[in-house]
Amino acid sequence: MKKLSLFLIGLFLIPSLFLTSCDKGDDLNVVSAPAFTLMKDYLITNNMDINQIITNTDGEKFVTAPPATAADVPAFIAKYTILDIRSADAFAAGHIEGAKNIAFKDILTEGAAASKPVLMVCYTGQTACYATALMRMYGFSHTQALKWGMSGWNATTAGPWNGKIGVEEAKGHSNWSYGGAPTNNVFSDPSFTSLSTDGGTILRKRVEDAVEAGFKTVTGTDVLNNPTNYYINNYFSEADYSGFGHIDGAYRILPLTLADNSYKGLDPATNAKVVTYCYTGQTSAVVTACLRVLGYDAYSLTFGMNGLYNTNSAFSSNQWGADSKPKDLPLVQ
């Protein structure tokens, strides 16, 4: 009788063990998508591809020009919560009325507390553009940067730009070329880990880490003298790539978006320093912010073409000292 009972119990246990084993096997066979893929899909679905960080779905570009005249200033500043990320000393010497001086590391906290769209302000517009891109990727899609920074607001605060265009680094340099662009490569995706399987959560953490790390830049001098140390992307139109000339060996990956996989033209290797350069260093700052969040070891070339070759005859816009000069807008102390 005892043996019969044990036999019957065994018959009941065998299916239970089988089903439990199957359940565990199914769980083991479930493979989550890579963190990069989850974040990429989230960015595309939520209109935060790289081109949509540059210009949001409402048509607002990442940068906005200062008002034309002093009379236009009150209406201009009324639209924004103005966050000035310059040093305390520079802020005290002269700033836009109503601006708040903050540390770069506090931009996300201040963005969350803002009651109006944020206007980021720095010395030249470059760090502010980097901050703007990170703010937009974090969900503050109407954030903008002041074009040219405080250098464009008033002649007394224009020193950072005025001091960077006197030396023509690229003119006559052996590493400056007018040839065609090399054929773009096709690389695999960047790779990083996350404890989350939610694309939005992964993105926010990546942005927070980028804010903590700060703006990553390289000088035109270093890239021009050592181009093989970098994976260089010239963010110009095809006509300007040859018309302006370019750093020898620079690729031209434009468009540069997730949706069309053109981002795969960039090298995600941990030892590949991806440097982007544009005309002013402002667009490249935005691109660099996006790339760092995506997992690239990315850098922005400071002052762009203006720093490399400001007198280049191909300039028709965004040339500091020509079509772009400091205005005479009011400062407060």
Side-chain angles (χ1 to χ4, degrees), residues 36-318:
F36 174 86
T37 301
L38 294 169
M39 186 177 70
K40 171 188 172 181
D41 292 344
Y42 180 87
L43 286 165
I44 294 172
T45 301
N46 289 276
N47 300 315
M48 289 193 286
D49 204 338
I50 297 172
N51 61 320
Q52 294 165 317
I53 298 300
I54 291 174
T55 303
N56 67 20
T57 53
D58 291 322
E60 297 168 337
K61 196 173 179 182
F62 67 90
V63 71
T64 187
T69 68
D72 300 316
V73 170
F76 178 82
I77 63 178
K79 297 188 296 182
Y80 299 104
T81 294
I82 305 174
L83 302 179
D84 189 325
I85 53 177
R86 295 177 300 156
S87 71
D89 288 345
F91 183 83
H95 58 267
I96 301 170
E97 184 177 359
K100 182 178 181 180
N101 190 213
I102 67 165
F104 180 90
K105 66 181 180 61
D106 294 328
I107 60 173
L108 300 179
T109 302
E110 294 291 342
S115 58
K116 293 182 286 187
V118 170
L119 179 69
M120 298 299 311
V121 177
C122 68
Y123 298 95
T124 66
Q126 295 172 94
T127 306
C129 286
Y130 190 78
T132 292
L134 295 175
M135 292 275 281
R136 287 187 168 199
M137 295 183 87
Y138 206 69
F140 307 122
S141 62
H142 296 289
T143 303
Q144 291 181 290
L146 180 66
K147 187 172 183 179
W148 304 109
M150 290 303 292
S151 293
W153 189 267
N154 189 286
T156 63
T157 52
W161 259 108
N162 289 340
K164 294 296 180 181
I165 61 172
V167 179
E168 301 294 358
E169 297 278 5
K171 188 175 183 179
H173 198 287
S174 59
N175 287 331
W176 194 251
S177 171
Y178 291 88
T183 301
N184 290 339
N185 300 303
V186 179
F187 293 98
S188 59
D189 289 341
S191 178
F192 54 82
T193 59
S194 173
L195 296 176
S196 177
T197 58
D198 176 72
T201 301
I202 296 168
L203 172 63
R204 286 187 289 275
K205 180 61 167 62
R206 297 285 304 174
V207 172
E208 290 164 3
D209 289 347
V211 170
E212 186 66 27
F215 189 19
K216 301 298 182 181
T217 65
V218 292
T219 66
T221 300
D222 189 48
V223 179
L224 191 61
N225 290 334
N226 307 284
T228 58
N229 289 348
Y230 300 93
Y231 196 90
I232 306 169
N233 184 34
N234 174 295
Y235 203 75
F236 284 6
S237 67
E238 186 174 1
D240 284 351
Y241 182 90
S242 56
F244 277 89
H246 50 270
I247 298 171
D248 189 37
Y251 293 89
R252 195 189 72 81
I253 306 171
L254 182 64
L256 175 56
T257 61
L258 298 170
D260 68 355
N261 286 328
S262 56
Y263 72 94
K264 287 180 177 287
L266 299 174
D267 189 349
T270 55
N271 62 344
K273 291 186 174 182
V274 176
V275 58
T276 303
Y277 74 97
C278 62
Y279 304 93
T280 67
Q282 294 171 109
T283 303
S284 64
V286 172
V287 172
T288 297
C290 294
L291 294 182
R292 291 201 74 85
V293 170
L294 290 170
Y296 293 92
D297 186 21
Y299 301 81
S300 179
L301 189 148
T302 54
F303 298 96
M305 177 58 69
N306 275 277
L308 286 168
Y309 197 166
N310 174 257
T311 60
N312 194 303
S313 60
F315 262 116
S316 60
S317 63
N318 291 317

